[in-house]
Amino acid sequence: MGTDTAIAIESSKPAPVPSTTLAFQDICYHVRHKDGHDKQLLNGISGAFQSGRLAGILGPSGAGKSTLLNILSGFKTNHVSGTILINDTPIDRRKYRREVSYTPQDVCLLGNITVTESLQFAADLKLAPATTTSEKQTSVVEVLKLLGLSKCAPNPVANLSGGEKKRLSIGLELISNPKIMFFDEPTSGLDIIAAMQVVAHLKDLAASGRCVICVIHQPSSSILQMFDDLFVLSEGHCLYRGPLNELVPALKEAGFDCPNYYNRADFALEIASLKHEGNVLQLRERAAHHRIISRTDKSVPNEAPNGEENEALLTGVVNGDGGGGDRQYLTSEWSQFVTLTRRTMLCTFRDLQLTKMRLLAHFFVGLLIAVVFYDVGNDGSKVLSNASCLFFFLIFVFFANSMPLVMTFPLETSVFVRERMNNWYSLKAYYFSKLVADFPFLILGPSVFLAGAYYLTSQPMELDRIVMLWSICIFTSWIAQMTGLLAGSVLPLELSVFCVPCSVIPMLIFCGFFVRFREMFDFLIPLTYVAYFRYSFEGAMQAIYGFERANLPCSGEFCYFSKVPKFLESFDMLENTFVMDVCGLLGWVFVLHVALYASLAWRLKRTR
């Protein structure tokens, strides 16, 4: 039994990787305020992290910990100067982004797929095409064992505990076996037991030969003891860098005597917060004394005035455009597109709110409208009521297809940003996969809605008119979906829930239903050609009443609008403008598609 246990433990150890040294010299970073003045957040930070050793970056809030981590991982490149080297060689951007992984403090995960499926999709996106399915499956099983996730492998991610989600986020990046792994406060929000489990797994990853660096915030003594090296920051300066067991002697040399049985991390944080008397400048000079030595007899380029040469070196090898044109991926964009489409459709099918409730709402609201407007579509005395019925068709289709995406897409956007910045796939592959995966639901909802409502409201049972009204509802649903995606990608949830309904109000005012065009001021008339609801409403009216429809039967004594041309004229509509209305809606669809792509690219650029 003992032998079997030893074998099981050995098989769950991380795969060894080649030895790596990440070194950096004179890293500076500044931000520009609105008044035009620059504020220096990092001041000539230098250091090195060795593979096989777990390193922690410690410091009070505002010290520059996360900023340094973002720069070293290649996430942040603007307003940065300095040099980054791997094994004494300046980093190559294309290779570097494939050799490192970055896990932020708040990791957003797709909750509708299982733990195993999350890792399988990660393997499909991150591993080379030559990797067989069995090899990918083996990698997934090994990661599950390594991080202690085997028991919860079949569970949906939404049902995981905080510690399990943290470990899963580590596993998603571990699939590609990166040489360097960055973690921003991996223990935040966890209890002491879960935090110790996470750090223990990080320790195992470092022991396998990886370079593991993480920002830590007020670690307990037991957690701190797991770290091999410590990097202490204070106000953008380094106070200490080196082995953990040399921290107290180094502080004592500068006049900071740590009391017995006192948490070394707390004492270092107090010094970094300038709460103790001592020689802080001596600590800074001692930390900056050791310079990074590059390859034999080849020193790192000297610092140019204002950091110009170093900034050019750093941005030249790290920076990339928001579209990812300069990046290389192990998998082709077509393979990324197929995998992302499968994942998105699977998540959507399992989403109760986005799928089942959405379809049920289309069905029952369609029946409700059909009951309220029963048998109004073929009666000359009820044409105004039928116009209201068509208008409500469009209103419901818009809100039923925009608001669910407003609620759900912000989380998916956060997942996209994390995965895209970790070099999982290109922006183009994600963008088109999202459009294709959502398209079936874009068609299914309005189809379910019209299936009962059209017949029960006695609209003309002519195939061409049914298809025309159905297509208008589809285009309106398409615009609604793109509006929801655009708002969800640009705005926070609280603001997008407010802005989407507000943005529809002008479109409704200028659609011609509430106020006739002839009753508006002349300077407002051009705005009616911008409102997409004008084209939706006019297209629906053309589908039902246009194209030389016969006069309507009258159930009352006198029906002024039984002659269809008079009815369209009362709404300032010409006959047979359906093609123009479709072109107007397609124009809006195109504009919103471009805006969505630009918003995702802008979101990536802002993250950088």
Side-chain angles (χ1 to χ4, degrees):
M1 182 180 296
T3 304
D4 294 339
T5 304
I7 293 175
I9 294 174
E10 184 66 26
S11 64
S12 64
K13 288 184 178 180
V17 296
S19 177
T20 303
T21 299
L22 173 66
F24 50 97
Q25 180 177 343
D26 298 327
I27 298 295
C28 297
Y29 174 72
H30 68 273
V31 293
R32 180 160 295 181
H33 290 291
K34 294 181 180 180
D35 57 6
H37 293 358
D38 290 344
K39 180 180 179 180
Q40 200 77 12
L41 298 184
L42 294 179
N43 298 272
I45 301 295
S46 301
F49 298 113
Q50 303 287 336
S51 60
R53 299 177 66 83
L54 178 60
I57 301 177
L58 186 67
S61 299
K65 307 184 298 296
S66 296
T67 300
L68 177 61
L69 204 68
N70 289 333
I71 292 172
L72 295 181
S73 62
F75 271 30
K76 192 178 293 293
T77 55
N78 296 329
H79 311 297
V80 177
S81 63
T83 307
I84 302 176
L85 307 98
I86 293 182
N87 295 334
D88 297 333
T89 303
I91 58 176
D92 183 324
R93 172 183 52 194
R94 296 182 179 181
K95 294 181 180 179
Y96 187 67
R97 294 302 300 134
R98 292 191 304 187
E99 293 177 347
V100 305
S101 69
Y102 177 86
T103 303
Q105 178 179 351
D106 297 321
V107 179
C108 295
L109 301 170
L110 299 175
N112 294 320
I113 55 178
T114 66
V115 174
T116 300
E117 290 169 343
S118 299
L119 294 172
Q120 288 173 341
F121 282 121
D124 291 337
L125 289 167
K126 302 182 71 175
L127 298 182
T131 309
T132 63
T133 303
S134 60
E135 290 173 339
K136 292 179 181 178
Q137 189 62 32
T138 301
S139 298
V140 169
V141 172
E142 288 177 351
V143 170
L144 289 172
K145 289 181 180 179
L146 170 65
L147 299 176
L149 295 172
S150 298
K151 292 183 178 180
C152 58
N155 298 343
V157 173
N159 296 341
L160 300 182
S161 65
E164 289 170 340
K165 288 181 179 179
K166 289 281 186 179
R167 282 179 275 157
L168 176 59
S169 66
I170 297 172
L172 293 176
E173 302 304 331
L174 194 59
I175 281 288
S176 58
N177 200 23
K179 295 180 180 178
I180 304 172
M181 305 187 74
F182 297 95
F183 299 90
D184 190 2
E185 299 193 22
T187 60
S188 63
L190 303 180
D191 58 71
I192 185 63
I193 302 301
M196 290 184 66
Q197 289 176 343
V198 170
V199 176
H201 289 302
L202 297 182
K203 181 79 170 178
D204 291 338
L205 295 178
S208 66
R210 291 176 180 81
C211 192
V212 181
I213 306 106
C214 56
V215 169
I216 51 175
H217 181 67
Q218 290 185 322
S220 63
S221 298
S222 55
I223 290 179
L224 182 67
Q225 190 61 36
M226 298 184 192
F227 285 85
D228 300 301
D229 297 319
L230 211 58
F231 198 98
V232 182
L233 286 174
S234 173
E235 298 181 340
H237 295 274
C238 179
L239 297 187
Y240 175 79
R241 57 185 176 96
L244 175 64
N245 54 14
E246 296 180 9
L247 172 65
V248 173
L251 297 179
K252 190 172 184 179
E253 285 183 15
F256 301 99
D257 195 3
C258 181
N260 293 330
Y261 309 110
Y262 201 83
N263 188 336
R264 290 170 289 178
D266 291 342
F267 188 66
L269 284 172
E270 291 172 4
I271 295 173
S273 301
L274 307 179
K275 293 184 177 180
H276 288 278
E277 294 184 1
N279 196 339
V280 176
L281 291 179
Q282 181 180 341
L283 286 176
R284 291 182 182 178
E285 292 174 358
R286 182 182 184 279
H289 178 69
H290 300 287
R291 310 301 292 174
I292 300 175
I293 306 299
S294 67
R295 284 171 282 184
T296 306
D297 299 327
K298 292 184 180 180
S299 60
V300 175
N302 294 327
E303 182 179 4
N306 299 324
E308 294 176 358
E309 183 176 351
N310 281 336
E311 182 167 4
L313 173 62
L314 181 62
T315 56
V317 294
V318 178
N319 195 14
D321 59 11
D326 292 335
R327 296 193 179 198
Q328 290 183 344
Y329 307 94
L330 290 177
T331 57
S332 65
E333 286 195 335
W334 172 253
S335 177
Q336 296 169 14
F337 165 78
V338 172
T339 302
L340 290 171
T341 302
R342 287 193 296 111
R343 188 179 72 172
T344 303
M345 294 191 72
L346 183 61
C347 290
T348 305
F349 274 117
R350 292 180 180 173
D351 192 317
L352 178 64
Q353 175 185 356
L354 194 63
T355 306
K356 298 178 182 178
M357 294 300 296
R358 191 170 164 186
L359 293 178
L360 287 175
H362 277 87
F363 178 74
F364 285 112
V365 173
L367 291 181
L368 175 63
I369 294 178
V371 171
V372 174
F373 294 97
Y374 181 76
D375 203 24
V376 301
N378 197 35
D379 191 335
S381 64
K382 301 177 181 178
V383 288
L384 290 176
S385 297
N386 196 41
S388 300
C389 175
L390 297 176
F391 184 76
F392 276 108
F393 278 12
L394 302 173
I395 287 288
F396 172 74
V397 165
F398 182 88
F399 282 104
N401 289 278
S402 62
M403 297 311 294
L405 294 174
V406 168
M407 301 293 292
T408 58
F409 194 57
L411 171 62
E412 188 174 337
T413 304
S414 300
V415 174
F416 156 71
V417 170
R418 174 181 60 81
E419 294 177 345
R420 173 65 184 83
M421 296 304 289
N422 273 312
N423 214 41
W424 284 37
Y425 45 75
S426 68
L427 169 59
K428 190 184 344 180
Y430 173 80
Y431 173 77
F432 285 107
S433 71
K434 182 62 181 174
L435 298 183
V436 171
D438 286 346
F439 198 76
F441 302 97
L442 180 151
I443 296 177
L444 187 59
S447 301
V448 170
F449 174 76
L450 284 178
Y454 189 94
Y455 174 76
L456 293 175
T457 55
S458 298
Q459 307 302 333
M461 299 305 294
E462 302 173 21
L463 182 60
D464 55 344
R465 296 186 185 277
I466 294 174
V467 172
M468 285 192 291
L469 182 60
W470 176 79
S471 62
I472 289 295
C473 289
I474 293 299
F475 289 133
T476 304
S477 173
W478 201 345
I479 291 175
Q481 177 176 288
M482 298 307 298
T483 302
L485 292 175
L486 181 61
S489 66
V490 175
L491 303 173
L493 176 61
E494 300 81 3
L495 195 57
S496 59
V497 170
F498 170 77
C499 288
V500 169
C502 289
S503 68
V504 180
I505 298 300
M507 304 297 174
L508 297 177
I509 292 176
F510 294 110
C511 75
F513 177 76
F514 297 102
V515 181
R516 305 296 183 262
F517 301 140
R518 62 178 176 271
E519 298 171 354
M520 296 182 182
F521 292 111
D522 291 340
F523 69 90
L524 295 178
I525 298 299
L527 297 178
T528 64
Y529 294 100
V530 180
Y532 50 75
F533 256 104
R534 170 186 176 149
Y535 301 111
S536 295
F537 180 60
E538 190 175 69
M541 294 284 283
Q542 294 292 332
I544 300 301
Y545 293 106
F547 299 97
E548 301 178 354
R549 182 178 176 180
N551 292 339
L552 302 175
C554 180
S555 62
E557 296 181 358
F558 175 74
C559 298
Y560 180 78
F561 290 125
S562 62
K563 294 183 178 180
V564 174
K566 288 185 178 181
F567 181 55
L568 293 178
E569 184 181 351
S570 70
F571 279 92
D572 293 341
M573 295 180 186
L574 301 174
E575 282 202 66
N576 306 335
T577 60
F578 182 80
V579 175
M580 185 189 73
D581 296 324
V582 170
C583 290
L585 293 174
L586 286 176
W588 263 101
V589 169
F590 175 78
V591 169
L592 289 173
H593 274 80
V594 173
L596 177 61
Y597 188 92
S599 70
L600 293 174
W602 172 79
R603 182 78 177 264
L604 292 173
K605 184 177 180 180
R606 186 180 63 175
T607 303
R608 298 189 67 87

